[in-house]
Amino acid sequence: MEKGTDRVHPTASTYAIMLLAWRRFNPESDTPVHLSDLPNPTTLLSNLIERDISPTAVVADRVLASSEEASDIIKFLSKSAVDLNHPRILAELGQAESLGSHVPDPLEGVPEVKPVLRLAVQILDENGNVIPAQAKEEVPFNLNNLRSHLAQVTLARRVLPEDLASRQKLLEESVYDVAVERLRHEAKLFDELGLGNRELHRADLQKWMWHWHQKLKKRLEAEIQEIIAAEAKICEHICASINKQVQRMGPFLSLVKPEKLSLITILEIMRLQGSGGVSDGMKTARALLTVGRAVENEYKAEMCKRNNIAIPSHARPSEFTGYFTGLGYKDLHARRMTAAKYMEDSEEWTSEWTQVLRVRIGSILVDCLMDSATIERTAVDKRTNEEIKENQPAFYHAYEYVRGQKLGVIRLNPVVSERIAKDGLRETLHPRHLPMLVKPKPWLNHDQGGYLYNRSAAMRFKDCQEQQTYLEHATALGNVELVYAGLDVLGSTPWKINRNIFDVVLKVWNSGERLCKIPPVVYDQPEPEKPPNMNTDIKAKSVYGTRLKAFMQDKANNHSDRCSVNYKIEIARAFLGDTMYLPHNLDFRGRAYPIPPHFNHIGDDLSRGLLMFGDAQPLGEQGLRWLKIHLANLYGFDKGNFDERVKFVMDHLEDVYESAEKPLDGNRWWAKADDPWQCLATCMELRAALESGDPHAYMSSLPVHQDGTCNGLQHYAALGGDVKGAAQVNLSVTDRPSDVYTYVANMVEKVVEEDLKNGDKYAAMLSGRVSRKVVKQTVMTTVYGVTYIGAREQIERQLKDRKDIPEEECWGASAYLAKRVLFCIGDLFSGAKAIQTWLNLCARLISKSIPAERVPDALQAPKGRKKHGSSLPKNRIRKEQMSSVVWTTPLGLPIIQPYRKTKRKQVMTAIQSVFISDPNAPAEVNAVKQASAFPPNFIHSLDATHMMLTALECRTQGLTFASVHDSYWTHASSIDKMSEIIRDTFIALHSSDVLEKLATEFRTRYASHKIPLTSLRSGKLLKNLQAAGVRIVASSEQADAIRLGGFTSFDNIIDPNQTEIPKPKTGKRGRPIKNVVMIEGAKKDVSTVIDHEEGDDDYAGEDDVDSILVDKFVDLSAVLPPLPKKGDFDVETIKMSQYFFS
């Protein structure tokens, strides 16, 4: 029948019979029949679609005698629809009601989430005010798009309740396949509505986009073939003549179907409209890069499908042997070796996408779109009243002047931009990264792991090719096994939605009221009143302007905050009743983050309150105690000892019960907590445990936290053996927890009281208001090098949040308070400051160094230039300073600071010449940023290492584990065990002499690097080097020459040496080496060679003041300052500190 030889066409009944036969006799059924020509459901569904027979008609056919048969066939067809990537078919099958009677729907009875609305059409009165009753509202397109995508999640659960793998595949499917179907469906609908009718005819954005898509698809089919043919000829000619590979665009364009390329281009260009400060258009460079990057993502997704990545199988928990055993290491190594072979066999994976390639591909596609996309404009001739029609380009190219620079832009035809303003653009990319329904794929490589079908990166590279290169190399050597294993542990933690909290959140949300950082549907703060003397009093006018600006900003923030909360609630609703997983990756410092951006446990209090572990553990006696301590911590009573915290909860047990039973109708005790939604979740969990009859046997899923006390300072204190610092951050044994923030706040309050006696205006304003919260961030970031400006901004934000200081006074008050806070901190953290200074100095020196092999080139004048050019060598030297600060964490992860002075590059495209900053181009490092960022980045890499070690050990010992940087989570019953692991891993980390290893790594990694003396001229740098104990030992002649040259700033760091200087030797490339400078390091004098080109007489007449220093270099390894002296604190003491993490 399918072949058409019998002249009989199959009907819905025919397919129903074949599917019924498959159900009864397929190879996995109870009565299998092995027939080679028995068509499977995927084949049957393909034939159904080809013959335009509705799957619903097949399912509803009389051949199916029972609802059970219908349900099974719906499952077969739904799985095939996922495999064939037909979401429309899946949606049709999802309406089948027969399945509902077999599988309970977790969303049954759950109200819909009321979406955020915005004004779409404003009706104004004669005074220009919006008339609320007549204004029309719409859902913002980003939110509407997310809701549409989540509807598929819900639909998939109805038709595939047990097939998690297929549901996960559907989640990750490319949005472009869905978009084509939707555009086609809408175009068909417009035709059915009779758009030829004059009354119904209107220019519709979706219809335009569909017509553009059809034209562009045909154009691209021809264009790509021409490109491939042209490149083949060019490549043949060039490769034969100069034996050089040419980067071709044909392979990149041909893998992705023209249909998808067309839609990618249209959607991305439409989405960029109005971006980058360009009204009714976009910057050309940005448009080309964005389209190119979108094609890259789709190309990689196609490679995943083409290579048939299998869904990984997971061993049962009982078979897990741990990561620290020999077998564990062997298993990890085998995984990496397999992955490496796979990479070698598949060249397409390693195709490199450069910025230039992205721009060129983007320019081809955008150029084709601009040629193909037209719209019909209609106007009436004012003289003849005749209607005139004209086809015009939908997009056109133009230039703008921005800050005196000529900027290329792509503009939309005014008709198109007007239509976007009216209709909104629904078709945008859905967020691919939602939580997963199955355990993430184990990390096998820097870009293989996490999602099953979409490629993810193990590290979030900040446009830095170095980071990727170092990570790839470390992976190939097997040095980052444990880092990948740690990511696997974090990603395999199961989560579920806390239904009790979700119901309360949804009720509050749909009511539109403000509660616990859920913003109200209508901004509820009063607008500042206009003062009557505003036109005569300049100060009154200024105060009113400040308050009005703050009000408008808060009102705008209210809308964006509400959209953010809407995202979270929509995602939580879609995953109700499911166990989900959050794949993780790293930032460049090694800190782990969940990849799903909108809803995860690293989010705010609301996100954390909505999440519970997917597995449960019996509380036990200690678990019940920790649950009470956790509740006190969340409420804000976290500075008492543990017994006092338990007593606090027992004293408020009545409030706890009322919060759990009547969260919205009682006195809302929970809403006054520091973390209200997590507090409410804990109240409900504690009440359920106490009411269960046997609290110790109660199965609890609630995560309980152990948080470090100012964790950065804890690492500094351990690194420096700082006894005083250790006592301040709970590394020492104490009866009560220390709180350095309260200590500083009290000191500041005393200073403010003194200023108040002298009649200070801001002291009067701030007296009694200097709380722990106001100073916390500044105290925490002091050891990270926070400046006065940074401290002022931090304190200003806190004062604004208090709402008890006038808006216009917050800036002045924060400036006053920042000075007092920094003064009070003073030498409170002297041990940490010494290490911070050492780290900063090392980074400054590294960023000013040049590899020895580059020194001769740096000193060589370019051809065609006179060697007497005033500052030529100095400028060449500066451009050679390209050394980033690189170090390796104790787990073997290489960290590269990405801060460089990026250069813009001109690329000629079919549309125009565009300037892009190429992150892969060699560029001078940003020495200031390298130095200031190194201390915090190094400490963050240490806390990331501590977390990873803890995660791996927790998994080895069978504990569920999650973390938010320095806050570690597990079940209440496992807290004691995890606390022990936290201390053991911290002690193991800091017993390895971290700073000594770092100094050794620097001396080894930068052994051949030289620093030009011109880069050390800064008085502050020389002063810091002298204070750190660095000495430059030079010959008397050299010291005199430097002094006579006017460089007296070197006097305090250079020691003249009367000993005989070695005779000149022949250096690299046969150049004689002159001028030996010796550096006195921490332990001994090191003789260091200064490269000085022969023929330095050529520089004799140079006017540059640096002429004496320009060719003088010292070894970086010899100038690195000695480590600060370590104190007497013993890290083993931490084992006895009960408040280290609490």
Side-chain angles (χ1 to χ4, degrees):
M1 289 171 74
E2 288 290 1
K3 292 176 182 176
T5 53
D6 295 340
R7 297 184 182 179
V8 180
H9 298 293
T11 64
S13 295
T14 313
Y15 288 110
I17 292 168
M18 294 306 297
L19 286 163
L20 198 57
W22 175 266
R23 177 182 180 272
R24 293 176 182 172
F25 305 120
N26 75 75
E28 296 179 5
S29 65
D30 296 332
T31 55
V33 174
H34 298 285
L35 295 175
S36 59
D37 56 349
L38 181 66
N40 59 35
T42 303
T43 305
L44 292 170
L45 181 59
S46 296
N47 295 335
L48 269 173
I49 294 167
E50 193 175 327
R51 294 183 179 277
D52 205 18
I53 296 174
S54 168
T56 308
V58 175
V59 174
D61 196 87
R62 290 181 300 178
V63 170
L64 306 181
S66 68
S67 59
E68 187 178 346
E69 288 179 344
S71 294
D72 288 346
I73 285 173
I74 287 174
K75 288 181 183 178
F76 291 149
L77 290 176
S78 298
K79 193 171 188 314
S80 298
V82 172
D83 291 338
L84 293 172
N85 199 15
H86 282 297
R88 182 178 59 81
I89 301 296
L90 192 67
E92 193 176 327
L93 291 167
Q95 307 307 318
E97 296 179 0
S98 57
L99 194 62
S101 60
H102 294 274
V103 181
D105 186 359
L107 294 182
E108 189 175 346
V110 179
E112 287 284 340
V113 181
K114 287 185 180 177
V116 172
L117 297 174
R118 69 177 180 194
L119 285 176
V121 180
Q122 298 183 1
I123 310 297
L124 306 179
D125 61 17
E126 55 188 20
N127 296 321
N129 299 317
V130 177
I131 305 173
Q134 296 183 35
K136 294 183 181 179
E137 294 182 314
E138 66 180 4
V139 180
F141 67 81
N142 278 332
L143 183 56
N144 190 46
N145 185 51
L146 174 76
R147 298 181 87 210
S148 302
H149 184 54
L150 290 176
Q152 289 191 30
V153 179
T154 307
L155 208 59
R157 174 164 46 204
R158 291 180 60 192
V159 294
L160 299 164
E162 294 163 7
D163 193 346
L164 293 176
S166 291
R167 286 171 61 193
Q168 182 61 35
K169 184 173 188 289
L170 182 72
L171 267 183
E172 295 186 38
E173 279 300 343
S174 168
V175 68
Y176 303 115
D177 301 322
V178 183
V180 170
E181 290 295 328
R182 195 174 303 158
L183 278 178
R184 185 180 290 128
H185 174 70
E186 289 182 0
K188 185 179 177 183
L189 190 65
F190 293 141
D191 292 336
E192 289 172 0
L193 288 172
L195 285 184
N197 189 328
R198 276 295 303 270
E199 279 71 37
L200 289 176
H201 185 79
R202 65 185 182 92
D204 190 279
L205 196 59
Q206 299 298 318
K207 188 169 175 61
W208 282 342
M209 287 170 69
W210 175 247
H211 289 318
W212 299 344
H213 170 56
Q214 288 177 314
K215 285 186 189 175
L216 183 57
K217 184 176 70 170
K218 289 178 183 176
R219 168 74 188 270
L220 287 174
E221 285 172 355
E223 190 81 17
I224 290 170
Q225 291 306 316
E226 288 177 15
I227 289 171
I228 291 172
E231 285 183 339
K233 286 182 182 178
I234 293 168
C235 187
E236 204 173 298
H237 173 70
I238 292 179
C239 292
S241 59
I242 60 174
N243 195 24
K244 183 182 176 184
Q245 285 291 322
V246 178
Q247 188 173 39
R248 294 184 292 172
M249 288 180 284
F252 296 93
L253 288 167
S254 57
L255 182 67
V256 183
K257 293 177 182 176
E259 186 175 50
K260 282 190 182 180
L261 287 174
S262 165
L263 204 66
I264 288 170
T265 309
I266 294 169
L267 295 186
E268 293 296 339
I269 289 295
M270 296 295 275
R271 204 164 61 86
L272 282 174
Q273 189 268 336
S275 65
V278 180
S279 58
D280 297 333
M282 66 219 75
K283 294 175 182 176
T284 306
R286 183 175 183 182
L288 304 187
L289 269 176
T290 303
V291 172
R293 202 170 272 122
V295 174
E296 176 188 7
N297 291 337
E298 192 60 27
Y299 175 89
K300 290 176 177 175
E302 285 293 335
M303 290 306 309
C304 279
K305 292 176 188 174
R306 182 169 162 181
N307 285 269
N308 293 320
I309 294 179
I311 297 172
S313 58
H314 295 270
R316 291 191 294 273
S318 58
E319 297 174 356
F320 189 81
T321 53
Y323 287 107
F324 286 114
T325 62
L327 186 61
Y329 273 104
K330 192 180 287 184
D331 178 52
L332 284 167
H333 182 66
R335 273 176 25 196
R336 304 291 181 271
M337 292 299 289
T338 305
K341 185 177 186 305
Y342 183 69
M343 291 288 283
E344 288 165 11
D345 293 346
S346 182
E347 289 181 10
E348 293 97 331
W349 286 112
T350 57
S351 301
E352 184 185 358
W353 283 73
T354 62
Q355 290 284 74
V356 173
L357 177 63
R358 292 186 191 108
V359 166
R360 285 180 176 158
I361 283 181
S363 75
I364 291 169
L365 297 175
V366 174
D367 189 39
C368 288
L369 173 64
M370 292 174 75
D371 280 352
S372 307
T374 58
I375 50 129
E376 186 177 78
R377 290 191 73 173
T378 305
V380 177
D381 191 318
K382 292 180 180 178
R383 293 173 298 175
T384 62
N385 287 329
E386 287 182 22
E387 188 177 77
I388 302 170
K389 293 183 179 179
E390 182 180 88
N391 275 336
Q392 294 185 351
F395 308 92
Y396 64 94
H397 185 255
Y399 287 95
E400 270 190 11
Y401 282 92
V402 178
R403 294 174 186 168
Q405 289 189 328
K406 193 176 180 183
L407 179 71
V409 295
I410 296 171
R411 289 202 184 283
L412 275 66
N413 191 298
V415 176
V416 180
S417 54
E418 283 170 20
R419 200 71 218 170
I420 289 180
K422 288 179 183 175
D423 287 358
L425 185 63
R426 295 193 300 273
E427 287 295 341
T428 57
L429 299 183
H430 73 70
R432 287 170 180 253
H433 295 146
L434 287 170
M436 296 181 69
L437 296 165
V438 296
K439 285 188 178 181
K441 182 168 62 177
W443 284 100
L444 304 175
N445 211 318
H446 73 281
D447 61 353
Q448 285 190 1
Y451 289 96
L452 305 186
Y453 303 99
N454 280 329
R455 180 161 287 212
S456 305
M459 182 179 281
R460 303 175 184 199
F461 305 116
K462 296 184 69 175
D463 279 336
C464 180
Q465 184 62 39
E466 283 177 288
Q467 292 170 339
Q468 183 171 339
T469 304
Y470 272 88
L471 183 60
E472 287 175 6
H473 184 65
T475 302
L477 295 175
N479 292 345
V480 287
E481 305 283 333
L482 290 177
V483 175
Y484 289 150
L487 288 175
D488 293 344
V489 170
L490 297 171
S492 63
T493 298
W495 299 92
K496 65 183 180 184
I497 304 300
N498 187 331
R499 179 62 186 269
N500 293 329
I501 296 297
F502 177 81
D503 289 342
V504 178
V505 169
L506 187 57
K507 191 172 180 181
V508 172
W509 174 264
N510 283 345
S511 73
E513 71 168 300
R514 178 192 292 273
L515 183 66
C516 302
K517 297 203 174 174
I518 290 184
V521 66
V522 178
Y523 188 56
D524 54 0
Q525 299 302 309
E527 186 172 340
E529 292 183 12
K530 191 179 289 188
N533 61 338
M534 192 177 84
N535 294 329
T536 56
D537 189 334
I538 294 177
K539 185 175 181 183
K541 184 177 181 179
S542 173
V543 168
Y544 171 71
T546 304
R547 292 181 180 179
L548 184 64
K549 184 181 177 183
F551 169 81
M552 298 304 292
Q553 184 63 53
D554 290 344
K555 189 175 180 181
N557 289 344
N558 185 78
H559 176 76
S560 59
D561 290 345
R562 195 161 170 84
C563 287
S564 174
V565 173
N566 202 163
Y567 262 62
K568 294 177 175 65
I569 300 174
E570 288 280 10
I571 295 171
R573 186 180 186 277
F575 283 89
L576 276 178
D578 277 323
T579 298
M580 59 188 190
Y581 300 87
L582 301 171
H584 283 61
N585 63 3
L586 308 167
D587 70 2
F588 78 94
R589 302 165 301 187
R591 277 189 153 188
Y593 294 84
I595 299 176
H598 301 296
F599 184 59
N600 57 59
H601 64 291
I602 284 186
D604 58 7
D605 171 56
L606 175 63
S607 300
R608 298 180 189 188
L610 284 167
L611 286 169
M612 304 177 79
F613 286 135
D615 56 348
Q617 297 289 338
L619 270 179
E621 185 178 350
Q622 280 300 101
L624 183 62
R625 172 180 163 82
W626 277 114
L627 194 61
K628 294 172 183 175
I629 293 170
H630 181 57
L631 178 55
N633 290 344
L634 292 170
Y635 199 82
F637 188 81
D638 55 349
K639 297 308 155 208
N641 60 37
F642 290 143
D643 291 336
E644 289 170 348
R645 297 183 210 182
V646 172
K647 184 177 182 301
F648 170 83
V649 172
M650 297 312 292
D651 290 345
H652 289 88
L653 202 57
E654 191 176 323
D655 292 322
V656 171
Y657 267 67
E658 187 183 51
S659 297
E661 293 166 359
K662 297 185 289 183
L664 299 177
D665 302 326
N667 63 13
R668 298 188 179 183
W669 175 80
W670 61 276
K672 303 179 185 71
D674 284 357
D675 297 302
W677 292 110
Q678 292 176 84
C679 177
L680 179 60
T682 312
C683 286
M684 290 179 171
E685 191 82 349
L686 182 58
R687 178 198 166 277
L690 295 175
E691 292 297 310
S692 65
D694 185 0
H696 297 167
Y698 176 76
M699 300 297 287
S700 174
S701 300
L702 192 80
V704 175
H705 312 168
Q706 290 281 278
D707 297 350
T709 306
C710 197
N711 191 237
L713 279 172
Q714 289 181 324
H715 282 286
Y716 270 122
L719 286 170
D722 183 5
V723 176
K724 184 181 174 184
Q728 291 164 346
V729 289
N730 292 318
L731 298 190
S732 303
V733 181
T734 53
D735 296 331
R736 301 182 62 78
S738 299
D739 182 22
V740 68
Y741 308 126
T742 303
Y743 180 75
V744 172
N746 291 339
M747 287 174 66
V748 175
E749 188 65 56
K750 289 177 183 175
V751 175
V752 170
E753 291 300 324
E754 289 295 321
D755 290 344
L756 182 61
K757 293 175 184 176
N758 299 326
D760 190 285
K761 167 188 169 182
Y762 291 117
M765 199 178 292
L766 292 165
S767 180
R769 293 186 172 93
V770 184
S771 64
R772 175 183 187 272
K773 190 175 181 181
V774 169
V775 304
K776 179 178 178 180
Q777 192 180 8
T778 305
V779 174
M780 188 190 305
T781 54
T782 298
V783 291
Y784 294 143
V786 71
T787 61
Y788 163 71
I789 301 295
R792 191 195 67 209
E793 289 174 352
Q794 292 168 350
I795 292 170
E796 185 179 16
R797 281 195 295 271
Q798 296 299 330
L799 294 181
K800 284 181 177 178
D801 286 346
R802 287 181 62 93
K803 304 290 186 188
D804 56 0
I805 292 172
E807 183 75 34
E808 66 276 8
E809 297 290 358
C810 283
W811 192 91
S814 62
Y816 163 83
L817 199 55
K819 291 176 184 173
R820 301 301 181 273
V821 171
L822 293 174
F823 171 77
C824 289
I825 291 172
D827 61 350
L828 198 59
F829 310 124
S830 53
K833 281 283 188 186
I835 296 172
Q836 182 190 351
T837 301
W838 183 82
L839 294 171
N840 188 289
L841 272 175
C842 288
R844 285 286 293 274
L845 293 169
I846 289 168
S847 61
K848 291 180 181 299
S849 67
I850 302 171
E853 62 270 18
R854 296 295 305 160
V855 170
D857 292 327
L859 290 173
Q860 179 134 15
K863 292 178 181 177
R865 292 284 192 95
K866 292 180 181 178
K867 287 195 174 185
H868 295 288
S870 63
S871 59
L872 189 58
K874 194 176 76 168
N875 288 342
R876 286 290 300 271
I877 287 168
R878 194 177 295 126
K879 287 177 181 176
E880 290 290 344
Q881 292 175 329
M882 294 193 285
S883 303
S884 294
V885 180
V886 182
W887 73 99
T888 309
T889 71
L891 279 180
L893 182 71
I895 311 292
I896 301 91
Q897 294 198 143
Y899 316 115
R900 291 185 177 276
K901 297 175 182 177
T902 53
K903 297 176 182 176
R904 295 201 309 160
K905 184 177 184 179
Q906 185 177 14
V907 179
M908 302 299 294
T909 71
I911 297 171
Q912 71 163 75
S913 170
V914 295
F915 287 88
I916 58 171
S917 57
D918 188 353
N920 300 325
E924 180 188 345
V925 293
N926 186 333
V928 174
K929 185 67 175 169
Q930 288 276 346
S932 62
F934 181 42
N937 286 343
F938 177 69
I939 295 299
H940 287 320
S941 74
L942 281 186
D943 72 43
T945 302
H946 180 217
M947 186 277 294
M948 283 287 190
L949 289 169
T950 305
L952 291 166
E953 189 58 30
C954 282
R955 170 56 60 88
T956 301
Q957 299 197 24
L959 274 61
T960 301
F961 179 85
S963 84
V964 182
H965 305 317
D966 61 348
S967 176
Y968 299 168
W969 301 9
T970 190
H971 290 98
S973 57
S974 305
I975 285 289
D976 285 327
K977 188 66 185 171
M978 186 180 76
S979 295
E980 186 182 325
I981 292 170
I982 291 171
R983 285 154 177 77
D984 288 343
T985 51
F986 190 90
I987 291 167
L989 174 64
H990 284 284
S991 296
S992 62
D993 210 346
V994 177
L995 285 182
E996 186 59 53
K997 285 184 177 178
L998 179 66
T1000 303
E1001 180 182 356
F1002 280 166
R1003 288 193 167 89
T1004 304
R1005 186 181 296 280
Y1006 303 105
S1008 66
H1009 283 231
K1010 313 280 184 186
I1011 299 182
L1013 285 187
T1014 52
S1015 297
L1016 299 179
R1017 277 189 61 206
S1018 162
K1020 189 175 181 182
L1021 179 57
L1022 280 175
K1023 187 177 178 182
N1024 289 337
L1025 286 173
Q1026 182 190 2
V1030 175
R1031 305 296 297 165
I1032 295 177
V1033 182
S1035 67
S1036 301
E1037 294 84 354
Q1038 289 172 332
D1040 290 341
I1042 290 172
R1043 193 176 296 109
L1044 290 172
F1047 302 107
T1048 54
S1049 54
F1050 282 97
D1051 287 353
N1052 294 326
I1053 197 170
I1054 288 185
D1055 287 340
N1057 189 354
Q1058 302 301 327
T1059 57
E1060 186 181 346
I1061 301 300
K1063 293 179 181 178
K1065 298 176 287 185
T1066 301
K1068 195 173 179 181
R1069 304 191 186 185
R1071 291 188 176 110
I1073 294 171
K1074 299 181 181 179
N1075 298 347
V1076 176
V1077 167
M1078 290 178 289
I1079 307 300
E1080 183 178 343
K1083 296 178 181 177
K1084 60 180 181 179
D1085 292 347
V1086 183
S1087 178
T1088 309
V1089 176
I1090 293 181
D1091 279 356
H1092 183 184
E1093 285 196 288
E1094 187 168 42
D1096 64 308
D1097 291 338
D1098 290 336
Y1099 291 93
E1102 189 168 312
D1103 294 330
D1104 185 8
V1105 292
D1106 286 347
S1107 57
I1108 295 178
L1109 301 182
V1110 76
D1111 57 351
K1112 293 180 172 56
F1113 295 79
V1114 293
D1115 276 348
L1116 168 63
S1117 57
V1119 194
L1120 286 174
L1123 284 168
K1125 187 179 178 184
K1126 195 165 184 176
D1128 299 325
F1129 177 74
D1130 182 6
V1131 288
E1132 291 287 342
T1133 311
I1134 297 169
K1135 279 189 179 179
M1136 308 301 294
S1137 170
Q1138 57 179 331
Y1139 299 109
F1140 167 53
F1141 268 65
S1142 63

